Amino acid sequence: MIVDERNDRRDRVIAAGRQMLTAARTAPKAKGTDIIECCILTDGDIRRLSEAMLELYTDTGRPVYQRDAANILKSDAIVVIATRSQVMGLNCAHCGYKSCVEKPENVPCAINCVDVGIAIGSVVSTAADMRIDCRVMFSAGMAAERLNLLDGCSQYYCIPLSASSKNPFFDR
């Protein structure tokens, strides 16, 4: 049997995306508390995310949404990662308030931000190890949050994936 690389590339990108989800899950988290949620988008869900980004462009006028809405359509899969908001009770003051009790509910716990950042680092490192092109996009993350793709989460980021001759997420 001959397996042409071009014929199963998409399947390999999705398989890499699954490994990336494992990397997010096993990334270190504050106090060992797992507040990270993640998933993979393909096909129609990528188009739906692109459409939500175009709506954000219409609402905000920010060109980044229009540019990245076109850009993600070049991906075979998109890893979505976010965090559930949970105060860690460390009273670290990184959020700008002296204690967790003083922090308003609408202000994210800084430790949650760090946890999602560490998970993103693990995810993109896994992509690099597997030679999958990717880019972390806050813009697609904003659209994913608007679509509420991961129930009860905030601080969304999206990582579109590709295995093509040239990284489609580099020259934007």
Side-chain angles (χ1 to χ4, degrees):
M1 173 173 73
I2 297 173
V3 177
D4 185 329
E5 176 272 333
R6 294 178 191 275
N7 293 337
D8 79 337
R9 183 181 306 165
R10 181 178 177 278
D11 292 338
R12 285 180 283 114
V13 170
I14 292 170
R18 288 186 173 112
Q19 289 296 114
M20 294 165 71
L21 296 181
T22 300
R25 182 63 55 223
T26 61
K29 293 153 187 91
K31 296 174 60 176
T33 304
D34 191 358
I35 57 168
I36 300 299
E37 299 297 337
C38 49
C39 66
I40 298 174
L41 306 180
T42 61
D43 305 321
D45 289 313
I46 293 174
R47 284 187 292 285
R48 191 173 80 143
L49 184 66
S50 177
E51 291 166 5
M53 293 171 76
L54 291 174
E55 289 174 13
L56 280 165
Y57 171 66
T58 300
D59 293 349
T60 67
R62 295 185 65 196
V64 65
Y65 293 114
Q66 183 179 40
R67 178 197 67 198
D68 289 352
N71 201 237
I72 67 169
L73 294 174
K74 298 173 186 171
S75 64
D76 292 309
I78 297 176
V79 170
V80 180
I81 187 165
T83 179
R84 284 181 278 109
S85 295
Q86 182 175 329
V87 175
M88 290 292 129
L90 298 172
N91 296 319
C92 65
H94 286 309
C95 65
Y97 295 88
K98 290 181 182 180
S99 72
C100 296
V101 173
E102 293 178 33
K103 183 188 81 57
E105 191 159 324
N106 65 337
V107 173
C109 173
I111 303 301
N112 294 173
C113 301
V114 171
D115 282 352
V116 78
I118 291 169
I120 290 168
S122 292
V123 164
V124 298
S125 175
T126 300
D129 290 347
M130 300 181 84
R131 304 304 178 254
I132 301 295
D133 292 328
C134 69
R135 184 174 194 112
V136 178
M137 292 186 176
F138 87 90
S139 56
M142 295 297 290
E145 187 166 0
R146 178 178 268 205
L147 293 171
N148 195 33
L149 293 180
L150 298 166
D151 190 39
C153 289
S154 61
Q155 301 181 51
Y156 281 71
Y157 293 88
C158 290
I159 301 104
L161 310 175
S162 175
S164 54
S165 300
K166 183 176 184 314
N167 185 340
F169 317 120
F170 185 73
D171 296 330
R172 302 185 308 158

